[in-house]
Amino acid sequence: MPNKKHLSNLHSASIMTSMNQSAHLYQLQKIDQEIDRINQRLKEIDTVLQNDEKLLDAERKISEAKEKTLLSRQELRAIEDEVKSITLKKEQSESSLYSGKIRNPKELQDLENEIALLKKRILSLEDAQLEKMIQLETCEQEEKEASTEYSKTQAEIIGQNAELKGEKDSLEQKLTRLSLEREATLRSIDANNLAVYKSLRQTKRGLAVAIIQETSCAACGASLRPAEIQSASSPKEMLFCSSCGRILFSG
Ligand SMILES: [Zn+2]
């Protein structure tokens, strides 16, 4: 009874003979090209996910608007406090004026002058207060708009990121599956042939194995002799394009 290991050796031996090395390398190349494509896309996705400049910009605008509103509110409060304190002073002076306790005409005149000045000051402060109130209202409106814009941008980016995160997950799953497929394919490939394949992939822009299309190399278009085409289907020997140097696969 053959053991499990023996069976698996028999199995790969039969694959070795039923498919030639170029076919396995061609299969490996398909997997590697897909892996490259996925890795490239994953890189792009990571760049987008890390680069939320639009949201940062919206955040900056909202904090600027908030700061302006706060400042405006503080300035308004300062004016209101001043109005209160001057009004109190004016009321005190008026109460002294009408108390009947001061009889000196000079003193009474001074008091009247002071009250007149305080009234004038209150009027001018009230103008400033009104102006500040209008300014505050504008600031509050701007803050509200910045806040709406921020929420809109945030929703957009969350939506976009969720989509990209979903794509990333599915690409990562695909990558796991492909690396298993790659391992399985590698079991049928001779180490020397693999080394040749790897070096060709590096020097030939990722395309180490070229298909024979009719009687030419599909990668460079060079015509092949019938004997070359014949030996390309040999299970043991690998044929290389004499023009571009790639491994030829008869398809
Ligand atoms: Zn060629």
Side-chain angles (χ1 to χ4, degrees):
M1 251 303 263
N3 61 25
K4 217 174 170 189
K5 190 167 184 283
H6 185 69
L7 269 176
S8 114
N9 282 345
L10 273 178
H11 182 62
S12 38
S14 78
I15 289 176
M16 281 284 234
T17 49
S18 68
M19 268 171 91
N20 67 19
Q21 287 288 283
S22 321
H24 289 301
L25 286 171
Y26 182 70
Q27 185 60 30
L28 180 66
Q29 179 171 272
K30 274 213 286 207
I31 295 167
D32 282 344
Q33 283 173 332
E34 183 68 359
I35 289 173
D36 287 350
R37 194 192 63 78
I38 289 174
N39 282 329
Q40 177 58 33
R41 180 65 190 142
L42 283 172
K43 230 180 181 174
E44 284 169 13
I45 291 173
D46 278 343
T47 309
V48 175
L49 289 178
Q50 284 156 10
N51 182 19
D52 49 7
E53 209 34 64
K54 240 175 115 184
L55 191 65
L56 289 176
D57 194 44
E59 254 172 25
R60 255 196 306 272
K61 276 181 188 146
I62 202 169
S63 72
E64 273 169 20
K66 270 187 176 161
E67 221 167 280
K68 263 173 80 184
T69 307
L70 188 72
L71 190 70
S72 190
R73 200 170 281 139
Q74 282 169 346
E75 283 169 355
L76 176 63
R77 197 159 300 145
I79 296 170
E80 284 169 348
D81 287 349
E82 208 181 340
V83 170
K84 258 187 218 158
S85 98
I86 292 173
T87 304
L88 190 71
K89 217 170 171 185
K90 185 196 74 150
E91 282 167 2
Q92 283 167 348
S93 301
E94 280 170 344
S95 125
S96 299
L97 182 66
Y98 301 120
S99 68
K101 285 176 189 161
I102 299 166
R103 288 165 196 265
N104 182 327
K106 170 80 172 75
E107 243 178 277
L108 286 171
Q109 188 57 52
D110 284 349
L111 206 51
E112 269 175 10
N113 288 346
E114 191 200 313
I115 290 166
L117 274 174
L118 289 172
K119 277 183 179 167
K120 220 173 149 190
R121 177 78 187 126
I122 289 168
L123 278 176
S124 118
L125 278 171
E126 278 171 350
D127 281 349
Q129 189 181 10
L130 186 67
E131 215 172 282
K132 208 35 89 179
M133 279 166 83
I134 294 166
Q135 196 192 64
L136 177 62
E137 219 169 277
T138 310
C139 286
E140 280 171 343
Q141 185 58 32
E142 278 171 9
E143 188 187 323
K144 214 170 139 190
E145 280 163 16
S147 175
T148 307
E149 191 54 37
Y150 176 80
S151 305
K152 218 179 97 191
T153 310
Q154 197 183 35
E156 257 173 36
I157 284 169
I158 287 170
Q160 195 187 20
N161 285 1
E163 215 172 278
L164 286 177
K165 276 187 185 119
E167 189 187 344
K168 190 179 172 178
D169 285 349
S170 104
L171 287 175
E172 276 165 351
Q173 278 171 21
K174 218 170 166 188
L175 213 49
T176 309
R177 214 179 55 231
L178 281 168
S179 75
L180 290 174
E181 261 181 61
R182 191 177 194 274
E183 268 174 52
T185 308
L186 283 179
R187 282 200 284 272
S188 311
I189 295 169
D190 178 86
N192 291 333
N193 292 340
L194 182 65
V196 171
Y197 163 84
K198 280 186 178 168
S199 119
L200 280 172
R201 277 255 301 159
Q202 276 178 357
T203 54
K204 304 283 174 190
R205 282 173 283 119
L207 197 73
V209 188
I211 283 194
I212 298 175
Q213 220 160 38
E214 296 187 11
T215 58
S216 332
C217 163
C220 74
S223 294
L224 306 162
R225 288 189 315 263
E228 284 181 316
I229 298 167
Q230 186 65 33
S231 65
S233 17
S234 151
K236 287 196 180 124
E237 276 178 67
M238 283 211 302
L239 179 71
F240 294 90
C241 173
S242 54
S243 174
C244 71
R246 291 186 173 92
I247 301 160
L248 289 168
F249 169 51
S250 56

Short mmCIF file of all heavy atoms in Angstrom, two decimals, residues 88-136:
data_model
loop_
_atom_site.label_atom_id
_atom_site.label_comp_id
_atom_site.label_asym_id
_atom_site.label_seq_id
_atom_site.Cartn_x
_atom_site.Cartn_y
_atom_site.Cartn_z
N LEU A 88 -24.86 102.37 35.83
CA LEU A 88 -24.93 102.38 37.29
C LEU A 88 -24.36 103.70 37.84
O LEU A 88 -24.94 104.34 38.73
CB LEU A 88 -24.14 101.18 37.84
CG LEU A 88 -24.30 100.91 39.33
CD1 LEU A 88 -25.71 100.39 39.63
CD2 LEU A 88 -23.27 99.88 39.80
N LYS A 89 -23.22 104.10 37.26
CA LYS A 89 -22.56 105.33 37.66
C LYS A 89 -23.49 106.53 37.41
O LYS A 89 -23.62 107.42 38.25
CB LYS A 89 -21.28 105.49 36.82
CG LYS A 89 -20.12 106.08 37.58
CD LYS A 89 -18.88 105.94 36.70
CE LYS A 89 -17.70 106.69 37.26
NZ LYS A 89 -16.58 106.61 36.30
N LYS A 90 -24.13 106.52 36.25
CA LYS A 90 -25.04 107.61 35.86
C LYS A 90 -26.23 107.66 36.84
O LYS A 90 -26.62 108.73 37.30
CB LYS A 90 -25.54 107.37 34.43
CG LYS A 90 -26.39 108.50 33.88
CD LYS A 90 -27.17 108.09 32.65
CE LYS A 90 -28.30 107.21 33.11
NZ LYS A 90 -29.49 107.23 32.31
N GLU A 91 -26.73 106.47 37.17
CA GLU A 91 -27.87 106.41 38.11
C GLU A 91 -27.49 106.95 39.50
O GLU A 91 -28.27 107.66 40.14
CB GLU A 91 -28.39 104.98 38.22
CG GLU A 91 -29.26 104.58 37.04
CD GLU A 91 -29.53 103.07 36.94
OE1 GLU A 91 -29.06 102.32 37.83
OE2 GLU A 91 -30.18 102.66 35.97
N GLN A 92 -26.26 106.59 39.89
CA GLN A 92 -25.77 107.09 41.19
C GLN A 92 -25.65 108.61 41.18
O GLN A 92 -26.06 109.30 42.11
CB GLN A 92 -24.42 106.46 41.54
CG GLN A 92 -24.56 105.03 42.04
CD GLN A 92 -23.21 104.32 42.08
OE1 GLN A 92 -22.21 104.80 41.54
NE2 GLN A 92 -23.20 103.17 42.73
N SER A 93 -25.10 109.13 40.06
CA SER A 93 -24.94 110.58 39.94
C SER A 93 -26.29 111.28 39.92
O SER A 93 -26.48 112.32 40.54
CB SER A 93 -24.16 110.93 38.67
OG SER A 93 -22.91 110.33 38.69
N GLU A 94 -27.23 110.68 39.21
CA GLU A 94 -28.58 111.26 39.13
C GLU A 94 -29.25 111.26 40.51
O GLU A 94 -29.90 112.23 40.91
CB GLU A 94 -29.44 110.47 38.14
CG GLU A 94 -29.17 110.85 36.69
CD GLU A 94 -29.83 109.91 35.68
OE1 GLU A 94 -30.25 108.79 36.08
OE2 GLU A 94 -29.90 110.30 34.50
N SER A 95 -29.02 110.15 41.21
CA SER A 95 -29.63 110.07 42.54
C SER A 95 -29.02 111.12 43.48
O SER A 95 -29.73 111.72 44.28
CB SER A 95 -29.55 108.63 43.04
OG SER A 95 -28.94 108.54 44.26
N SER A 96 -27.70 111.39 43.34
CA SER A 96 -27.07 112.45 44.13
C SER A 96 -27.64 113.82 43.74
O SER A 96 -27.92 114.65 44.58
CB SER A 96 -25.56 112.49 43.87
OG SER A 96 -24.96 111.31 44.22
N LEU A 97 -27.82 113.98 42.41
CA LEU A 97 -28.31 115.27 41.89
C LEU A 97 -29.71 115.59 42.43
O LEU A 97 -29.99 116.72 42.79
CB LEU A 97 -28.33 115.21 40.35
CG LEU A 97 -28.77 116.46 39.61
CD1 LEU A 97 -27.74 117.60 39.82
CD2 LEU A 97 -28.92 116.17 38.11
N TYR A 98 -30.56 114.54 42.48
CA TYR A 98 -31.94 114.79 42.89
C TYR A 98 -32.17 114.54 44.38
O TYR A 98 -33.28 114.67 44.85
CB TYR A 98 -32.90 113.94 42.04
CG TYR A 98 -32.76 114.24 40.55
CD1 TYR A 98 -32.40 113.26 39.63
CD2 TYR A 98 -32.98 115.57 40.07
CE1 TYR A 98 -32.25 113.54 38.29
CE2 TYR A 98 -32.81 115.85 38.72
CZ TYR A 98 -32.45 114.84 37.83
OH TYR A 98 -32.30 115.14 36.51
N SER A 99 -31.08 114.21 45.08
CA SER A 99 -31.27 113.91 46.50
C SER A 99 -31.55 115.17 47.33
O SER A 99 -32.11 115.09 48.41
CB SER A 99 -30.02 113.21 47.06
OG SER A 99 -28.95 114.13 47.06
N GLY A 100 -31.11 116.31 46.78
CA GLY A 100 -31.30 117.55 47.51
C GLY A 100 -30.21 117.78 48.54
O GLY A 100 -30.18 118.80 49.24
N LYS A 101 -29.28 116.88 48.63
CA LYS A 101 -28.21 117.02 49.61
C LYS A 101 -27.13 117.98 49.13
O LYS A 101 -26.45 118.59 49.92
CB LYS A 101 -27.58 115.65 49.92
CG LYS A 101 -28.46 114.78 50.80
CD LYS A 101 -27.83 113.42 50.99
CE LYS A 101 -28.82 112.48 51.68
NZ LYS A 101 -28.41 111.09 51.48
N ILE A 102 -26.97 118.05 47.80
CA ILE A 102 -25.93 118.94 47.26
C ILE A 102 -26.59 120.28 46.92
O ILE A 102 -27.57 120.31 46.15
CB ILE A 102 -25.27 118.31 46.02
CG1 ILE A 102 -24.60 116.97 46.40
CG2 ILE A 102 -24.23 119.27 45.42
CD1 ILE A 102 -24.22 116.14 45.21
N ARG A 103 -26.05 121.31 47.49
CA ARG A 103 -26.66 122.62 47.27
C ARG A 103 -25.72 123.58 46.57
O ARG A 103 -26.17 124.57 45.98
CB ARG A 103 -27.09 123.23 48.62
CG ARG A 103 -28.30 122.49 49.15
CD ARG A 103 -28.57 122.79 50.62
NE ARG A 103 -29.49 121.79 51.16
CZ ARG A 103 -30.81 121.99 51.22
NH1 ARG A 103 -31.35 123.13 50.83
NH2 ARG A 103 -31.59 121.05 51.69
N ASN A 104 -24.44 123.28 46.62
CA ASN A 104 -23.45 124.14 45.96
C ASN A 104 -23.67 124.13 44.46
O ASN A 104 -23.61 123.08 43.82
CB ASN A 104 -22.05 123.57 46.32
CG ASN A 104 -20.92 124.41 45.74
OD1 ASN A 104 -21.06 124.98 44.66
ND2 ASN A 104 -19.82 124.45 46.47
N PRO A 105 -23.98 125.32 43.84
CA PRO A 105 -24.30 125.36 42.40
C PRO A 105 -23.16 124.82 41.53
O PRO A 105 -23.41 124.15 40.52
CB PRO A 105 -24.52 126.85 42.12
CG PRO A 105 -24.70 127.49 43.45
CD PRO A 105 -24.02 126.65 44.48
N LYS A 106 -21.93 125.11 41.93
CA LYS A 106 -20.77 124.62 41.14
C LYS A 106 -20.76 123.08 41.14
O LYS A 106 -20.58 122.44 40.10
CB LYS A 106 -19.48 125.20 41.77
CG LYS A 106 -18.18 124.63 41.24
CD LYS A 106 -17.78 125.25 39.88
CE LYS A 106 -16.39 124.83 39.42
NZ LYS A 106 -16.34 123.49 38.92
N GLU A 107 -20.98 122.53 42.32
CA GLU A 107 -20.99 121.07 42.47
C GLU A 107 -22.13 120.43 41.68
O GLU A 107 -21.96 119.40 41.03
CB GLU A 107 -21.16 120.71 43.96
CG GLU A 107 -19.97 119.94 44.53
CD GLU A 107 -20.16 119.64 46.00
OE1 GLU A 107 -19.85 120.56 46.81
OE2 GLU A 107 -20.64 118.54 46.33
N LEU A 108 -23.29 121.17 41.73
CA LEU A 108 -24.46 120.66 40.99
C LEU A 108 -24.20 120.68 39.48
O LEU A 108 -24.54 119.75 38.76
CB LEU A 108 -25.71 121.50 41.32
CG LEU A 108 -26.31 121.24 42.70
CD1 LEU A 108 -27.39 122.28 43.00
CD2 LEU A 108 -26.91 119.84 42.77
N GLN A 109 -23.55 121.78 39.05
CA GLN A 109 -23.22 121.91 37.62
C GLN A 109 -22.27 120.80 37.17
O GLN A 109 -22.48 120.16 36.14
CB GLN A 109 -22.59 123.30 37.36
CG GLN A 109 -22.39 123.62 35.88
CD GLN A 109 -23.69 123.53 35.07
OE1 GLN A 109 -24.71 124.14 35.43
NE2 GLN A 109 -23.69 122.73 34.01
N ASP A 110 -21.25 120.55 38.00
CA ASP A 110 -20.27 119.48 37.70
C ASP A 110 -20.97 118.14 37.56
O ASP A 110 -20.69 117.35 36.66
CB ASP A 110 -19.21 119.39 38.80
CG ASP A 110 -18.19 120.52 38.71
OD1 ASP A 110 -18.21 121.24 37.68
OD2 ASP A 110 -17.40 120.68 39.65
N LEU A 111 -21.91 117.94 38.48
CA LEU A 111 -22.64 116.67 38.48
C LEU A 111 -23.49 116.53 37.22
O LEU A 111 -23.53 115.47 36.58
CB LEU A 111 -23.54 116.62 39.74
CG LEU A 111 -23.89 115.23 40.27
CD1 LEU A 111 -22.67 114.36 40.45
CD2 LEU A 111 -24.62 115.37 41.62
N GLU A 112 -24.13 117.62 36.84
CA GLU A 112 -24.94 117.61 35.61
C GLU A 112 -24.07 117.35 34.38
O GLU A 112 -24.45 116.57 33.50
CB GLU A 112 -25.67 118.95 35.45
CG GLU A 112 -27.04 118.92 36.09
CD GLU A 112 -27.75 120.28 36.05
OE1 GLU A 112 -27.25 121.19 35.34
OE2 GLU A 112 -28.78 120.41 36.72
N ASN A 113 -22.90 117.98 34.36
CA ASN A 113 -21.97 117.77 33.25
C ASN A 113 -21.53 116.31 33.17
O ASN A 113 -21.46 115.73 32.10
CB ASN A 113 -20.73 118.66 33.41
CG ASN A 113 -21.05 120.13 33.14
OD1 ASN A 113 -22.11 120.46 32.59
ND2 ASN A 113 -20.16 121.01 33.58
N GLU A 114 -21.25 115.80 34.36
CA GLU A 114 -20.78 114.40 34.41
C GLU A 114 -21.88 113.46 33.88
O GLU A 114 -21.61 112.56 33.09
CB GLU A 114 -20.40 114.05 35.85
CG GLU A 114 -19.66 112.73 35.96
CD GLU A 114 -19.70 112.13 37.35
OE1 GLU A 114 -19.44 112.87 38.33
OE2 GLU A 114 -20.01 110.91 37.46
N ILE A 115 -23.12 113.72 34.32
CA ILE A 115 -24.24 112.88 33.87
C ILE A 115 -24.40 112.96 32.35
O ILE A 115 -24.57 111.96 31.67
CB ILE A 115 -25.55 113.27 34.60
CG1 ILE A 115 -25.45 112.86 36.07
CG2 ILE A 115 -26.78 112.62 33.94
CD1 ILE A 115 -26.51 113.49 36.96
N ALA A 116 -24.25 114.19 31.82
CA ALA A 116 -24.38 114.38 30.37
C ALA A 116 -23.30 113.58 29.63
O ALA A 116 -23.58 112.93 28.60
CB ALA A 116 -24.28 115.86 30.03
N LEU A 117 -22.09 113.61 30.18
CA LEU A 117 -20.98 112.87 29.55
C LEU A 117 -21.23 111.36 29.59
O LEU A 117 -20.98 110.65 28.61
CB LEU A 117 -19.67 113.18 30.27
CG LEU A 117 -18.90 114.42 29.80
CD1 LEU A 117 -17.71 114.69 30.72
CD2 LEU A 117 -18.42 114.24 28.35
N LEU A 118 -21.74 110.92 30.75
CA LEU A 118 -22.02 109.48 30.90
C LEU A 118 -23.11 109.04 29.93
O LEU A 118 -23.00 107.97 29.31
CB LEU A 118 -22.43 109.16 32.35
CG LEU A 118 -21.31 109.24 33.40
CD1 LEU A 118 -21.88 109.10 34.81
CD2 LEU A 118 -20.24 108.17 33.15
N LYS A 119 -24.13 109.89 29.75
CA LYS A 119 -25.21 109.57 28.81
C LYS A 119 -24.67 109.44 27.41
O LYS A 119 -25.04 108.52 26.65
CB LYS A 119 -26.30 110.65 28.86
CG LYS A 119 -27.30 110.47 29.99
CD LYS A 119 -28.37 111.54 29.90
CE LYS A 119 -29.41 111.35 31.01
NZ LYS A 119 -30.27 112.55 31.12
N LYS A 120 -23.77 110.37 27.06
CA LYS A 120 -23.16 110.37 25.73
C LYS A 120 -22.34 109.09 25.53
O LYS A 120 -22.40 108.45 24.48
CB LYS A 120 -22.23 111.59 25.62
CG LYS A 120 -22.29 112.27 24.27
CD LYS A 120 -21.47 113.55 24.33
CE LYS A 120 -20.87 113.84 22.96
NZ LYS A 120 -19.88 114.93 23.02
N ARG A 121 -21.60 108.74 26.58
CA ARG A 121 -20.77 107.54 26.52
C ARG A 121 -21.65 106.28 26.33
O ARG A 121 -21.35 105.40 25.54
CB ARG A 121 -19.94 107.45 27.82
CG ARG A 121 -19.08 106.23 27.94
CD ARG A 121 -17.81 106.34 27.11
NE ARG A 121 -17.07 105.07 27.11
CZ ARG A 121 -16.68 104.43 26.02
NH1 ARG A 121 -16.96 104.91 24.83
NH2 ARG A 121 -16.01 103.31 26.10
N ILE A 122 -22.78 106.28 27.08
CA ILE A 122 -23.71 105.13 26.97
C ILE A 122 -24.26 105.02 25.56
O ILE A 122 -24.29 103.95 24.97
CB ILE A 122 -24.85 105.24 28.02
CG1 ILE A 122 -24.28 104.98 29.42
CG2 ILE A 122 -25.96 104.23 27.74
CD1 ILE A 122 -25.23 105.34 30.56
N LEU A 123 -24.63 106.17 24.99
CA LEU A 123 -25.17 106.15 23.62
C LEU A 123 -24.16 105.59 22.63
O LEU A 123 -24.51 104.78 21.78
CB LEU A 123 -25.58 107.57 23.20
CG LEU A 123 -26.96 108.03 23.69
CD1 LEU A 123 -27.19 109.49 23.29
CD2 LEU A 123 -28.08 107.16 23.10
N SER A 124 -22.89 106.05 22.78
CA SER A 124 -21.89 105.59 21.82
C SER A 124 -21.59 104.09 22.04
O SER A 124 -21.37 103.35 21.08
CB SER A 124 -20.65 106.48 21.91
OG SER A 124 -19.53 105.75 22.30
N LEU A 125 -21.63 103.67 23.31
CA LEU A 125 -21.43 102.24 23.60
C LEU A 125 -22.58 101.40 23.03
O LEU A 125 -22.37 100.29 22.53
CB LEU A 125 -21.30 102.00 25.09
CG LEU A 125 -19.93 102.24 25.71
CD1 LEU A 125 -20.00 102.17 27.23
CD2 LEU A 125 -18.90 101.23 25.20
N GLU A 126 -23.79 101.95 23.10
CA GLU A 126 -24.94 101.21 22.56
C GLU A 126 -24.84 101.05 21.05
O GLU A 126 -25.25 100.01 20.51
CB GLU A 126 -26.24 101.91 22.97
CG GLU A 126 -26.66 101.52 24.38
CD GLU A 126 -27.83 102.34 24.93
OE1 GLU A 126 -28.21 103.34 24.29
OE2 GLU A 126 -28.35 101.96 26.00
N ASP A 127 -24.28 102.07 20.38
CA ASP A 127 -24.04 101.94 18.92
C ASP A 127 -23.06 100.80 18.66
O ASP A 127 -23.28 99.96 17.79
CB ASP A 127 -23.44 103.25 18.37
CG ASP A 127 -24.52 104.31 18.17
OD1 ASP A 127 -25.73 103.94 18.25
OD2 ASP A 127 -24.17 105.49 17.95
N ALA A 128 -21.97 100.81 19.45
CA ALA A 128 -20.94 99.77 19.29
C ALA A 128 -21.51 98.40 19.59
O ALA A 128 -21.19 97.41 18.93
CB ALA A 128 -19.76 100.07 20.21
N GLN A 129 -22.40 98.37 20.59
CA GLN A 129 -23.03 97.11 21.00
C GLN A 129 -23.88 96.54 19.86
O GLN A 129 -23.82 95.36 19.55
CB GLN A 129 -23.91 97.38 22.23
CG GLN A 129 -24.44 96.12 22.88
CD GLN A 129 -25.32 96.46 24.08
OE1 GLN A 129 -25.66 97.61 24.32
NE2 GLN A 129 -25.67 95.45 24.85
N LEU A 130 -24.64 97.44 19.23
CA LEU A 130 -25.50 97.01 18.12
C LEU A 130 -24.65 96.46 16.97
O LEU A 130 -24.95 95.41 16.40
CB LEU A 130 -26.35 98.21 17.65
CG LEU A 130 -27.41 97.86 16.59
CD1 LEU A 130 -28.49 96.96 17.18
CD2 LEU A 130 -28.04 99.14 16.03
N GLU A 131 -23.57 97.19 16.68
CA GLU A 131 -22.66 96.78 15.62
C GLU A 131 -22.07 95.40 15.93
O GLU A 131 -22.00 94.52 15.08
CB GLU A 131 -21.53 97.80 15.54
CG GLU A 131 -21.03 98.04 14.13
CD GLU A 131 -20.05 99.21 14.11
OE1 GLU A 131 -20.51 100.38 14.16
OE2 GLU A 131 -18.84 98.94 14.10
N LYS A 132 -21.66 95.23 17.17
CA LYS A 132 -21.06 93.95 17.61
C LYS A 132 -22.08 92.81 17.54
O LYS A 132 -21.73 91.69 17.21
CB LYS A 132 -20.54 94.15 19.03
CG LYS A 132 -19.38 93.32 19.51
CD LYS A 132 -18.33 92.98 18.54
CE LYS A 132 -17.22 94.01 18.46
NZ LYS A 132 -16.18 93.57 17.47
N MET A 133 -23.35 93.13 17.85
CA MET A 133 -24.39 92.10 17.79
C MET A 133 -24.59 91.61 16.37
O MET A 133 -24.76 90.41 16.13
CB MET A 133 -25.71 92.64 18.35
CG MET A 133 -25.77 92.59 19.87
SD MET A 133 -27.14 93.58 20.53
CE MET A 133 -28.46 92.42 20.35
N ILE A 134 -24.56 92.57 15.43
CA ILE A 134 -24.71 92.19 14.01
C ILE A 134 -23.52 91.34 13.58
O ILE A 134 -23.67 90.31 12.92
CB ILE A 134 -24.86 93.46 13.11
CG1 ILE A 134 -26.18 94.17 13.44
CG2 ILE A 134 -24.80 93.10 11.63
CD1 ILE A 134 -26.30 95.57 12.90
N GLN A 135 -22.32 91.77 14.04
CA GLN A 135 -21.10 91.02 13.69
C GLN A 135 -21.16 89.60 14.26
O GLN A 135 -20.82 88.63 13.58
CB GLN A 135 -19.88 91.77 14.25
CG GLN A 135 -18.59 91.30 13.63
CD GLN A 135 -17.39 91.83 14.40
OE1 GLN A 135 -17.20 91.48 15.56
NE2 GLN A 135 -16.62 92.68 13.77
N LEU A 136 -21.63 89.49 15.50
CA LEU A 136 -21.73 88.18 16.14
C LEU A 136 -22.69 87.27 15.37
O LEU A 136 -22.42 86.09 15.16
CB LEU A 136 -22.20 88.34 17.60
CG LEU A 136 -22.41 87.03 18.37
CD1 LEU A 136 -21.13 86.24 18.50
CD2 LEU A 136 -22.98 87.30 19.77
#
